[in-house]
Amino acid sequence: LVTGAAGMLGTEVVAAFEGVGDVVGVDVDDFDIRDADAVERAIRDLRPSVVVNCAAYTDVDGAESERELAFAVNADGARNVAAAAKLVGARVVQLSTDYVFDGSKAEPYEEEDTPCPVNAYGDSKLAGEDAVRQSGADFLIVRTAWLYGHNGQNFVETVLRLAEETGALRIVDDQEGAPTNARDLAEVIRELVSADARGVVNATNLGSTTWYGLAVAILEAAGIDGVDVEPVPTTALRRPAARPRYSVLSLAKLSSLLGRQPRRWHEAVREYVSERQ
Ligand SMILES: NC(=O)c1ccc[n+]([C@@H]2O[C@H](COP(=O)([O-])OP(=O)(O)OC[C@H]3O[C@@H](n4cnc5c(N)ncnc54)[C@H](OP(=O)(O)O)[C@@H]3O)[C@@H](O)[C@H]2O)c1
């Protein structure tokens, strides 16, 4: 069972599992994960062996003013999904984020590092992780970052749209992370489930850059010249939510579980841009 199946990652997760068994994708029109009874009914009916919970409140800036809603979906919703999974003996795969960290480290975050979110979204996702851990369900928490995919609004699409509309971009160059292709991540989730991985596992594409570095790579990949890309500090954009300055996740555990490293972020971005063209 894949929740959030109409979202950016959920769409790819459904596709990744289609080759290996029966997959049912559901989204908010089927049931709301905030509704514990509806979640339990659906999961009891279906009796899945694995539930991948991709449903989430994902508006990082919006969460600052909609904190209750973010917690209702990301914490209570995750608790409901995990509790129902436990009832039928299913394993739950909970998606989480690099934004559980404050960004004060200068080297990649290990799974065991102590989370300390700097925004409401990160707080709500960390509460979701805790709820899943405490549910008693068999669980895997996959922390990922900076996602883009063909089925959702994301930074790659925004850069290409703004390049076309305005010909000039101001992009933050003091946040570093790992851009991650949703299709690559979905494949990794499938492999982790096959490998019986449990606990917390970081999963992104390999390497890191800033949003500025990513924007330049996107324009290069799209063959767009003559766009003025100005690097600016985070403070220049006055966004409601604070962001970690550095949120690169260590991939050592993932690589040892998979027996391979994920693709480099740059290669994955190039492929995504050429597919959409
Ligand atoms: N995007 C990123 O850069 C990023 C980075 C790190 C981690 N993550 C995590 O990765 C996961 C997938 O993210 P994504 O980018 O694929 O998100 P997304 O595109 O926003 O998809 C989430 C899906 O969940 C649905 N949903 C929202 N509230 C729901 C509810 N109460 N009940 C049932 N379904 C609900 C959404 O429907 P509506 O669209 O109708 O609201 C949407 O279809 C999330 O856990 C997210 O926190 C994302």
Side-chain angles (χ1 to χ4, degrees):
L1 176 68
V2 181
T3 63
M8 190 160 67
L9 178 62
T11 313
E12 300 289 356
V13 171
V14 169
F17 278 90
E18 257 159 6
V20 288
D22 295 331
V23 191
V24 175
V26 292
D27 210 281
V28 67
D29 292 343
D30 300 290
F31 58 85
D32 189 317
I33 63 166
R34 290 174 294 175
D35 180 344
D37 292 341
V39 173
E40 184 180 324
R41 248 191 330 271
I43 289 184
R44 274 193 190 279
D45 280 355
L46 198 65
R47 304 195 78 77
S49 51
V50 179
V51 182
V52 185
N53 183 27
C54 297
Y57 178 101
T58 54
D59 179 352
V60 176
D61 287 317
E64 295 300 307
S65 52
E66 293 189 309
R67 194 177 167 90
E68 269 183 33
L69 177 57
F71 269 78
V73 179
N74 293 345
D76 301 343
R79 178 180 302 111
N80 295 338
V81 171
K86 178 172 163 40
L87 284 175
V88 301
R91 186 181 327 165
V92 64
V93 181
Q94 170 67 22
L95 269 296
S96 190
T97 170
D98 55 335
Y99 283 6
V100 297
F101 294 115
D102 63 10
S104 58
K105 263 185 98 171
E107 58 193 43
Y109 280 93
E110 307 290 339
E111 284 80 356
E112 297 73 26
D113 283 332
T114 305
C116 181
V118 295
N119 56 42
Y121 167 76
D123 278 341
S124 71
K125 293 296 292 183
L126 181 58
E129 286 191 8
D130 291 341
V132 169
R133 275 195 199 88
Q134 288 158 14
S135 68
D138 184 11
F139 73 88
L140 168 66
I141 292 170
V142 176
R143 288 194 186 129
T144 192
W146 293 31
L147 276 186
Y148 58 90
H150 292 292
N151 209 49
Q153 255 320 304
N154 61 73
F155 184 78
V156 183
E157 297 300 328
T158 304
V159 164
L160 292 172
R161 179 173 51 78
L162 290 178
E164 193 173 308
E165 284 172 10
T166 68
L169 303 172
R170 297 173 76 228
I171 309 282
V172 168
D173 74 342
D174 57 0
Q175 293 170 34
E176 184 173 347
T180 299
N181 184 309
R183 187 177 299 161
D184 286 17
L185 176 61
E187 181 58 28
V188 160
I189 291 171
R190 192 191 61 71
E191 288 179 58
L192 288 172
V193 168
S194 301
D196 267 347
R198 286 171 168 78
V200 182
V201 179
N202 298 333
T204 64
N205 279 122
L206 188 63
S208 66
T209 186
T210 62
W211 293 111
Y212 173 79
L214 176 55
V216 170
I218 292 162
L219 296 175
E220 259 172 35
I224 298 173
D225 296 323
V227 173
D228 178 24
V229 191
E230 182 193 347
V232 297
T234 301
T235 47
L237 297 193
R238 299 168 171 273
R239 303 283 285 273
R243 263 92 173 159
R245 182 188 56 74
Y246 178 90
S247 60
V248 182
L249 302 174
S250 164
L251 301 180
K253 184 173 179 183
L254 178 71
S255 303
S256 116
L257 283 164
L258 300 184
R260 67 173 178 90
Q261 287 193 320
R263 269 203 293 185
R264 291 213 152 263
W265 71 264
H266 211 140
E267 186 189 337
V269 164
R270 272 199 296 264
E271 182 183 274
Y272 175 87
V273 171
S274 80
E275 282 169 359
R276 83 184 272 298
Q277 283 177 331

